[in-house]
Amino acid sequence: MSEPNRGGLLQKPTKRNRFEISVSHPQMPLGTEIDSGGRGGIGCKALDFDDLPEVCIANVLSFTSPRDACRLSLVSTTFRSAADLDAVWDKFLPPDYQDIIFRSSAASALYFSSKKQLYLTLAQKPLLIDDCELSFFLDKWYGKKCYMLSARTLSIVWADTPRYWKYTSLPETRFAEVAELISVCWLEIRGRISTCMLSPETLYTAYLVFKPTIRSYGFDYQPVEAAVGLVGGESHNRTIYLDAEKERRRHYQNFPMRAALFSHARVVDVQAPMPGESVDGQYPKERDDGWLESELGDFFYEGREDGELEMGVSEVKGGGWKGGLIVQGIEIRPKETIK
């Protein structure tokens, strides 16, 4: 037929890479079916996607996601070739990826042979930007922008007093310095990031990235308050623990108990959690890089909000002394939904 088909519909594939397309006769009402022999109408025409131009397949793949494109590349050699094209991966990279890369002192040394290689590099190896005080990387599944704020960019109460905090270097961190908590009775750590740096239509989760020292104390039965929200707006608060061992000990609790927290000034009586109490997300989890992370809260960025997102933790009510914590930074990335 020379006229465009009406009522086109993809049917179940009859074999690998072939799809049935059912069309209606242009001179018959929609829905009238005819068989392939012309006795009353049209049957089905088989479409082999391997016969399509590579650029057409690439255009279709660019409307999926990096995860789906990698899966579809296993369909055939044609799909694999199309899935590697720059036209596909350019759609998966953030629109401002070039501006972000040029904010790095290592931009001139960043070499990639294709947009796919660039995407995978940014997803697997964080890029230091803004004088190496901010870490940028991509969510490997969907290409959403992710960041970690270094300890130097955070607002830490008493951080300029060596008696309470000190900045030091560690070989296993992204940044030149981390913040080590010596001892405080007033713990307050906050970080801010402009919302325009985030990916629109994305549910983000903020995490405190840290690790305890061998002299860590004061966090075993003392919860801290976590908060995430826009500056000047409503924040979402939750209670978390920074003691990684507490979750293990909780599984061995068979009865309620009360714990006395000894501080430099006084003893604080704190109720331990009841066995079976819902504590999802309250305790730190170990990361692939060996550090711990505690979930601070979620924030959905629609793309229209213009402001600063503030994330932080604090413990200012108990009054107990605490110390022995190394803070690498605060990380914000899309909420994990893929297992």
Side-chain angles (χ1 to χ4, degrees), residues 196-218:
C196 66
M197 296 172 59
L198 306 177
S199 295
E201 299 297 326
T202 303
L203 178 61
Y204 279 96
T205 302
Y207 301 87
L208 178 71
V209 181
F210 68 99
K211 65 170 51 177
T213 68
I214 58 175
R215 296 180 297 275
S216 179
Y217 69 93

Side-chain angles (χ1 to χ4, degrees), residues 29-44:
L30 286 176
T32 303
E33 295 186 359
I34 51 182
D35 60 32
S36 58
R39 297 184 302 275
I42 297 175
C44 294

Side-chain angles (χ1 to χ4, degrees), residues 239-269:
T239 298
I240 63 173
Y241 291 88
L242 299 182
D243 176 25
E245 298 297 322
K246 184 174 178 61
E247 170 69 354
R248 299 187 184 97
R249 292 194 299 267
R250 190 179 68 87
H251 290 296
Y252 294 100
Q253 289 180 340
N254 295 318
F255 52 88
M257 60 177 293
R258 300 189 72 84
L261 298 183
F262 293 90
S263 70
H264 293 180
R266 58 190 176 125
V267 175
V268 183
D269 195 26

